[in-house]
Structure formats: C-alpha cells, structure tokens
Amino acid sequence: MLQLSGVRKSFGGAPVLRDVDLELRAGEVVVLLGASGSGKSTLLRCVNRLETVDAGEITLDGVPMPVEGRALARMRARVGMVFQSFNLFGHRTALENITLAPTRVLGVPKERAAERARELLARVGLADKADAYPAQLSGGQQQRVAIARALAMEPRLLLFDEPTSALDPEMITEVLDVMTELAADGMTMLVVTHEMGFARRAADRVVFLDAGSIAETAPPEQFFAAPSTERARDFLAKVLAH
C-alpha cells in the first residue's frame, strides 16, 4: 500500500532521513522505534506531505504522493494522522470536531456525518462525550476523540506520531487499548511510539531507525529477543531498564 524509495530529507543542511526504503502492506502495523532525533517523526510527516522530501519517492497504492493542490487534499483524506498534541478545536464539541472534515472535505451530509461520529465515539469508549468540549475532557479522552476524528475520514492508512507522549501515565493505557483494537481490526498503521508493550503486542514489524537510516527491521518477538545491531541492543538496554 505504501512505499518509500530512497527518501532523503535535510533541515539546514543537516541530514535527517538518509535513503529510506520502506514498504507497508494493507492491514499491516509497523512500529517505528529509535532514539530522539533518529528521524521517526520526520518520516511520518513526509508520508503525509507535511514535509516535502529532498529526494526519493513516496507512493500510496502505487500512485506518487502529490506535492500540492486538490490532489494533495484528496490524498490526505486517505491518510489519517494522530499527533502528540491532540489538535482539537477548543470551541467545538467532540461531535463537531469529528464531523467537520467529513462534511467540508468529503461532502458528507451533516446528519450522516453526525451518525458516523457517534458510532466512532462509541468505538473509542466515549459515547457519552459527544457534547463535551475539549477542556471538559481528560488528555486521554481528547486523544481518543482525535483518533475518532481521523477514522471519520475512512482512511486507508493511519499515522500515529507518539500519540501517548503528552499523556499522564494512567491515561496512556486507554489510548493504547483503542490502537490495539484498531490493529486487531485490520487497520493499516504506521506508528511512532516509545511504548514497548504496544510494539510487542500489536506490531507486525518493528523498524528501528538510527541517524536517519533504517538500521534494522524484524518481527517484534525477534527484535526484542535478539536485535541484530549493536545500536538496537544499546537502545533496548536503555529503554527497557526504566
């Protein structure tokens, strides 16, 4: 479904992604791991064209990612993204946050969009929060609304950029449970996270980035039991010690 070929990206002359080759099949869950600054979030932002690549190609269903215009808007409607910081509209209810894009971008009738939004709120365990504003919700609840908002666009692919990093520990589980359920339901997902338990439990593959390059790719059981690179072993020793 998704293919990155020779993708490079630099900021101010400093390389952030170096000749990244990556494929993602439909229904697959791939978790990107690596130290801070390894290029994980930049890779996601390039996939969704929030950043343009310096070289290489990204294709979705065999079609190169558009650079701008209506074609880019249509592509983004097929690639949902969930950020660290929720990005909900504070002056809109949970229901309104979810229905906004389907009605304005896809032209879904308001009644149908609202019906679908209520279904999605129930799916993420927030059926009773349709009329709540973000300030009335916990961080975990806001992130679940953000996931429902992404799902409302019926995406082919969901990108998660450290979706639990801004949450208090007790709220992390409720978000990871929703993500695990999505994975079990066959949603295609590319996930940047520091939650090793989720990577072990839900990923089909773990991709380890180091200094902008893919250093290792393996099934989670293999990666966590016997990483093949010294850099990955050092990373795991540090993150699993806490």
Side-chain angles (χ1 to χ4, degrees):
M1 175 192 291
L2 178 72
Q3 184 167 19
L4 287 75
S5 303
V7 170
R8 299 181 189 176
K9 178 65 179 178
S10 297
F11 292 109
V16 179
L17 296 176
R18 306 168 187 257
D19 295 312
V20 172
D21 296 323
L22 178 65
E23 292 184 354
L24 189 64
R25 298 183 297 274
E28 191 175 25
V29 178
V30 171
V31 170
L32 301 176
L33 298 181
S36 295
S38 60
K40 307 182 301 298
S41 293
T42 299
L43 190 153
L44 286 194
R45 292 175 66 83
C46 287
V47 168
N48 207 32
R49 273 293 191 257
L50 293 173
E51 300 285 354
T52 57
V53 301
D54 298 333
E57 186 176 57
I58 302 175
T59 61
L60 182 67
D61 292 325
V63 179
M65 290 288 192
V67 176
E68 58 186 6
R70 292 183 178 180
L72 177 59
R74 287 194 295 270
M75 182 280 297
R76 281 190 175 146
R78 300 166 63 203
V79 181
M81 190 157 184
V82 179
F83 300 87
Q84 302 177 33
S85 53
F86 323 142
N87 293 337
L88 299 178
F89 292 108
H91 64 293
R92 295 182 181 272
T93 65
L95 190 76
E96 291 168 343
N97 267 281
I98 296 169
T99 59
L100 187 63
T103 55
R104 292 193 178 180
V105 178
L106 301 181
V108 177
K110 288 185 178 181
E111 296 77 9
R112 173 60 190 138
E115 179 184 351
R116 176 63 174 155
R118 292 184 187 278
E119 293 172 357
L120 290 170
L121 283 169
R123 183 175 182 179
V124 299
L126 295 172
D128 60 338
K129 299 296 184 181
D131 297 322
Y133 289 89
Q136 298 171 311
L137 301 173
S138 70
Q141 290 171 334
Q142 289 185 62
Q143 192 61 293
R144 285 186 280 158
V145 171
I147 293 173
R149 178 182 58 184
L151 291 171
M153 297 295 285
E154 304 289 347
R156 292 270 289 137
L157 168 66
L158 266 185
L159 309 176
F160 291 86
D161 188 9
E162 300 191 26
T164 60
S165 64
L167 300 178
D168 292 333
E170 65 270 20
M171 298 176 186
I172 290 175
T173 299
E174 64 192 55
V175 173
L176 292 179
D177 286 346
V178 169
M179 293 171 61
T180 301
E181 289 173 9
L182 289 174
D185 289 344
M187 174 59 70
T188 309
M189 297 161 58
L190 186 58
V191 183
V192 172
T193 184
H194 293 294
E195 299 298 330
M196 298 299 116
F198 173 82
R200 288 177 186 267
R201 182 172 67 250
D204 296 299
R205 273 188 296 144
V206 170
V207 173
F208 179 73
L209 271 73
D210 181 37
S213 298
I214 294 179
E216 187 167 346
T217 301
E221 59 273 16
Q222 177 182 329
F223 178 79
F224 286 103
S228 62
T229 62
E230 183 61 35
R231 187 67 189 89
R233 287 192 289 272
D234 181 61
F235 172 80
L236 286 178
K238 290 177 179 176
V239 299
L240 297 178
H242 296 286

